[in-house]
Amino acid sequence: MPTANHLKLPIGIQAFDKLRTGGYYYVDKTPQLHRLVEEGGYYFLSRPRRFGKSLLLDTLRCLFEGREALFEGLYIHDKWDWHAKHPVIRLGFADGHLTSRADLDTHIRYQLAEHRERLGIESARPELIANDFSDLIRRAHQKFGQRTVVLIDEYDKPILDNILAPERARELREGLKNLYSVLKDADPHLRFVLLTGVSKFSKVSLFSGLNNLNDITLDTPYATICGYTDNDIDSVFAPELPGLDRAHIKHWYNGYRWGGQEVTAVYNPFDVLLLFQKRQFGAYWFESATPTFLVELLKQRGVFSPRLGKLQAKAQLLGRFDVDDITTEGLLFQTGYLTIKQLSEPMVGYKLYTLGFPNQEVESSLNELLLPVLGFGDSELQTHQLALLEVLQAHDLVGLKRHLKALYAGLPHDWYRNNPIAQYEGHYASVFYSHFAALGLSVTVEDASHFGKVDMTVDFAGHLYLFEFKVVEQLPEGKALEQIKTKGYADKYRASGKPIHLVGVEFSREQRQIIGFDVETLV
């Protein structure tokens, strides 16, 4: 129960009025909303699931409906015209799993009918959905004397839920396109429009003709419109922090960034709130929000997991998503498994984003999810992870070699024949990296030094491990360890005072096994 210093944690609260009147913590997002509304127009915002998009839309609903008492004490209170009360039509697709155009149309008709009843519009409903929606917008404007506001929550969910069944996904896409196409010609009756979702489908496929839809997903002023900042954690949630390691909170959950290096990184609210409630660290967002299609697509494409933390993509790739054209970079970014680490502009108008894992939760959880894709049964994962942890805690390099050889020996031969990902040369390194990363260790891939990049560095329990990988045909050649030494990869760490273990690993392409494991320790 909340005490004098503690408020209630708004876990799962998506209704702004309930949040503001029920004694809950609230992070004021009205400075961003004020700017958004003042600039006016048609907006699109992409954020991963469970990032507060539904609460954001409900805040806008209450704002446009003129519910002044809910905004007392907030930034926007003395900057808003509370006499102007707009009719608001809010449509949502978060609930349920729609698997046909008929189900989608029924879902839309039900919502439109609800809004007619709520707004007191008693005229006969047109037969076609597009006409029904258009008529509702126009009549709401006429009745209230203020232009209509349209808010659409999870606009893309029916398509994403069916993305592995392309024909069905295209059918649902056409149904949504039929609905959204109304917004173009309804412009005289509209005050404000905001669509939110996980992905950004191309205008051609879903928003044909709606050329004035402004995508603010990567706009710096709105980088923190969803999520909590470090300042929010330290001020709003200050009563919840005692007893929790602040540095661990940041390492585990912070790091989502929508824009270049200058924008403020944010936390996923779902993670933070459950941490404060349960008082222990866990992969709360990952366990609740991972779409099934993600792993299947990564499997089909032969993912090289060590590169996931250092992908590069043009802005166009991050914003392009369609049933028949889903880039791996765009998919992982839009669903929240990668975030922007760096933005460069090598030539005017050409923006290049470097992507990486936002935090420890996502890196360890996604790699754990990928291990079955790489050939390991779910029942074996915990045994393998506990064994790895044991040898690392003991700094037992002989035991580490024995453990890793057993790990690769456990991959079934049938799996190699039946899974295309096994044919990728990077499979060996993917297994190696994901096994370490899934344990939640501090892993750096392609760790740069003055003379090049060592394949992988692990910092654990006061020891450093530098790994270099080579793929050979049949016999070990010793070149992996030799490269670590001749390139001086360890030099940057010599001042750390930690023991440094140089490990050269050689995989046999023919035997599908580690055949070389050369070690040298620097103290």
Side-chain angles (χ1 to χ4, degrees), residues 201-214:
F201 281 83
S202 70
K203 289 183 180 180
V204 174
S205 70
L206 200 54
F207 302 113
S208 181
L210 196 59
N211 297 321
N212 54 345
L213 187 65
N214 182 7

Side-chain angles (χ1 to χ4, degrees), residues 255 308-311 337-341 354-359:
L308 288 177
K310 291 191 175 183
L311 290 177
Y337 299 94
L338 296 181
T339 195
I340 295 171
K341 292 292 187 179
T354 300
L355 307 178
F357 293 110
N359 51 44

Side-chain angles (χ1 to χ4, degrees), residues 86 97 155 172 220 239 281 283 290 316 331 409 491 502 522:
H86 293 264
H97 187 88
Y155 86 103
L172 290 162
T220 298
F281 291 86
T290 300
Q316 294 90 326
L331 170 67
D491 291 352
L502 314 181
L522 309 177

Side-chain angles (χ1 to χ4, degrees), residues 289-394:
T290 300
T292 54
F293 69 83
L294 175 70
V295 175
E296 182 59 33
L297 285 175
L298 292 178
K299 179 179 179 179
Q300 291 174 7
R301 295 175 181 192
V303 60
F304 181 50
S305 61
R307 289 294 297 164
L308 288 177
K310 291 191 175 183
L311 290 177
Q312 288 191 313
K314 296 190 299 181
Q316 294 90 326
L317 290 181
L318 295 186
R320 192 177 74 202
F321 195 101
D322 209 346
V323 176
D324 304 306
D325 184 16
I326 307 173
T327 67
T328 301
E329 298 89 344
L331 170 67
L332 290 167
F333 171 68
Q334 293 180 24
T335 50
Y337 299 94
L338 296 181
T339 195
I340 295 171
K341 292 292 187 179
Q342 188 174 355
L343 168 62
S344 60
E345 195 167 0
M347 55 187 291
V348 176
Y350 188 102
K351 292 184 178 179
L352 185 65
Y353 293 96
T354 300
L355 307 178
F357 293 110
N359 51 44
Q360 185 64 65
E361 178 203 14
V362 176
E363 181 172 12
S364 59
S365 299
L366 183 58
N367 278 286
E368 184 171 3
L369 198 66
L370 286 175
L371 283 172
V373 175
L374 295 169
F376 298 97
D378 290 317
S379 60
E380 305 165 354
L381 293 182
Q382 181 171 311
T383 302
H384 288 315
Q385 288 191 338
L386 289 175
L388 176 61
L389 182 61
E390 185 177 319
V391 296
L392 288 176
Q393 286 177 328

Side-chain angles (χ1 to χ4, degrees), residues 29 31-33 35-36 45-48 51 56 215-229 232 254-269 333 339-340:
K29 297 295 183 181
Q32 294 98 319
L33 294 185
R35 176 170 183 157
L36 195 66
L45 175 69
S46 168
R47 288 293 185 269
F51 245 93
L56 187 76
D215 181 5
I216 60 169
T217 299
L218 297 179
D219 287 5
T220 298
Y222 305 110
T224 62
I225 198 169
C226 291
Y228 299 151
T229 66
D232 297 331
N254 193 26
Y256 294 94
R257 185 177 281 108
W258 282 276
Q261 301 91 306
E262 78 284 355
V263 304
T264 302
V266 297
Y267 296 76
N268 179 284
F333 171 68
T339 195
I340 295 171

Side-chain angles (χ1 to χ4, degrees), residues 9-230:
L9 296 166
I11 299 171
I13 304 298
Q14 299 178 358
F16 182 69
D17 57 350
K18 181 178 179 180
L19 190 149
R20 291 292 288 162
T21 60
Y24 292 93
Y25 288 106
Y26 175 64
V27 173
D28 188 2
K29 297 295 183 181
T30 63
Q32 294 98 319
L33 294 185
H34 181 250
R35 176 170 183 157
L36 195 66
V37 172
E38 285 296 299
E39 292 179 352
Y42 297 67
Y43 293 104
F44 168 75
L45 175 69
S46 168
R47 288 293 185 269
R49 289 176 182 166
R50 295 194 177 275
F51 245 93
K53 300 188 298 293
S54 297
L55 176 60
L56 187 76
L57 289 182
D58 202 58
T59 307
L60 284 164
R61 177 185 66 82
C62 293
L63 190 62
F64 279 110
E65 288 177 349
R67 303 180 64 178
E68 181 179 5
L70 298 175
F71 293 88
E72 289 182 1
L74 301 183
Y75 171 87
I76 205 168
H77 182 252
D78 61 354
K79 300 172 180 65
W80 190 259
D81 179 6
W82 298 106
H83 299 292
K85 301 181 187 298
H86 293 264
V88 178
I89 299 170
R90 179 179 173 182
L91 305 177
F93 297 96
D95 297 333
H97 187 88
L98 304 173
T99 56
S100 70
R101 173 70 182 269
D103 288 346
L104 175 64
D105 288 351
T106 299
H107 182 70
I108 293 171
R109 286 187 182 282
Y110 175 77
Q111 293 190 72
L112 294 177
E114 275 196 320
H115 283 297
R116 283 181 178 272
E117 181 178 350
R118 182 180 58 82
L119 296 172
I121 296 173
E122 299 175 351
S123 61
R125 296 179 61 188
E127 182 177 347
L128 299 177
I129 284 179
N131 294 342
D132 190 0
F133 188 26
S134 178
D135 181 73
L136 174 59
I137 292 171
R138 178 175 56 83
R139 291 185 184 276
H141 180 196
Q142 292 172 346
K143 177 169 182 176
F144 288 85
Q146 296 285 351
R147 291 183 178 181
T148 305
V149 171
V150 172
L151 307 171
I152 300 179
D153 193 14
E154 302 291 359
Y155 86 103
D156 54 348
K157 187 174 180 291
I159 308 174
L160 292 178
D161 283 347
N162 295 278
I163 204 72
L164 293 178
E167 288 189 16
R168 192 189 310 154
R170 283 190 287 269
E171 177 187 326
L172 290 162
R173 182 188 64 190
E174 290 307 303
L176 291 170
K177 182 177 180 179
N178 180 53
L179 178 72
Y180 303 145
S181 64
V182 168
L183 298 173
K184 177 188 175 185
D185 293 332
D187 182 64
H189 307 289
L190 291 170
R191 165 67 177 88
F192 181 87
V193 174
L194 176 60
L195 293 84
T196 69
V198 171
S199 58
K200 182 194 175 185
F201 281 83
S202 70
K203 289 183 180 180
V204 174
S205 70
L206 200 54
F207 302 113
S208 181
L210 196 59
N211 297 321
N212 54 345
L213 187 65
N214 182 7
D215 181 5
I216 60 169
T217 299
L218 297 179
D219 287 5
T220 298
Y222 305 110
T224 62
I225 198 169
C226 291
Y228 299 151
T229 66
D230 267 321

